């Protein structure tokens, strides 16, 4: 006969991971659908030009947007949809460049904005230590 101890049932400690996998797959699908919809910077009416696009494997650029009112926006700020003051813009860009010196910096300006306003934004970036600034445009065609 079996002893009393051998007849006791032992609990098996296992985690059922199937529900977690289901949740992860749903989250993956949600992120795959919403990721292309995320817009960088503020919506502006860009001028058109025959320029080649940035490489797809390049790191996310720092984008300074200038809307039709001449307000500045920064895509890496805490609230990229709110205007940013020039001193705060310089501080945030300088900090980002200290972390990654090779990160590209772009100015995305509305085509109705005066050249002087775009130039002022570029001067702010130069004072923040940006070695070169690109201008974002829409491609023709």
């Amino acid at each position: 006969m079996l002893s009393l101890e051998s007849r006791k049932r032992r609990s098996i400690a296992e985690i059922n991971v199937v529900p977690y996998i289901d949740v992860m797959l749903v989250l993956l699908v949600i992120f795959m659908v919403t990721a292309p919809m995320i817009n960088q910077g503020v919506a502006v009416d860009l001028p058109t030009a025959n320029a080649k696009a940035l490489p797809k494997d390049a790191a996310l650029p720092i984008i300074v947007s200038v809307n039709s009112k001449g307000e500045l926006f920064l895509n890496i700020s805490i609230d990229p949809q709110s205007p940013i003051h020039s001193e705060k813009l310089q501080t945030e860009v300088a900090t980002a460049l200290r972390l990654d010196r090779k990160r590209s910096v772009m100015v995305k300006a509305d085509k109705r904005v005066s050249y002087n306003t775009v130039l002022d934004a570029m001067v702010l970036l130069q004072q923040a230590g940006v070695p070169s600034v690109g201008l974002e445009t829409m491609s023709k065609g």
Side-chain angles (χ1 to χ4, degrees):
M1 286 200 140
L2 296 172
S3 69
L4 182 65
E5 289 180 23
S6 64
R7 281 190 271 164
K8 281 188 177 177
R9 290 190 178 188
R10 229 182 249 184
S11 63
I12 300 173
E14 291 182 4
I15 297 175
N16 187 2
V17 296
V18 174
Y20 299 115
I21 294 171
D22 292 342
V23 169
M24 292 305 294
L25 288 174
V26 168
L27 288 174
L28 177 66
V29 169
I30 289 170
F31 288 129
M32 287 173 54
V33 169
T34 58
M37 295 180 201
I38 296 173
N39 192 4
Q40 290 296 319
V42 176
V44 294
D45 190 12
L46 292 173
T48 57
N50 286 329
K52 67 179 185 175
L54 290 175
K56 297 265 187 221
D57 59 343
L60 180 70
I62 298 170
I63 300 173
V64 176
S65 300
V66 184
N67 67 4
S68 59
K69 299 175 190 172
E71 297 171 319
L72 299 174
F73 299 85
L74 184 62
N75 72 323
I76 59 169
S77 69
I78 294 170
D79 185 9
Q81 300 299 318
S82 296
I84 189 168
H85 196 267
S86 57
E87 286 84 20
K88 187 166 169 68
L89 181 137
Q90 286 179 314
T91 304
E92 290 194 26
V93 170
T95 303
L97 287 178
R98 274 195 293 273
L99 297 173
D100 184 5
R101 285 303 283 165
K102 295 182 180 179
R103 196 167 181 186
S104 61
V105 180
M106 307 288 288
V107 173
K108 176 181 175 182
D110 193 286
K111 66 182 177 182
R112 295 174 296 248
V113 170
S114 71
Y115 181 72
N116 193 47
T117 306
V118 176
L119 190 59
D120 289 342
M122 293 175 75
V123 167
L124 286 172
L125 292 170
Q126 182 185 33
Q127 292 170 349
V130 176
S132 66
V133 178
L135 297 174
E136 190 170 335
T137 61
M138 291 292 291
S139 61
K140 287 187 176 180

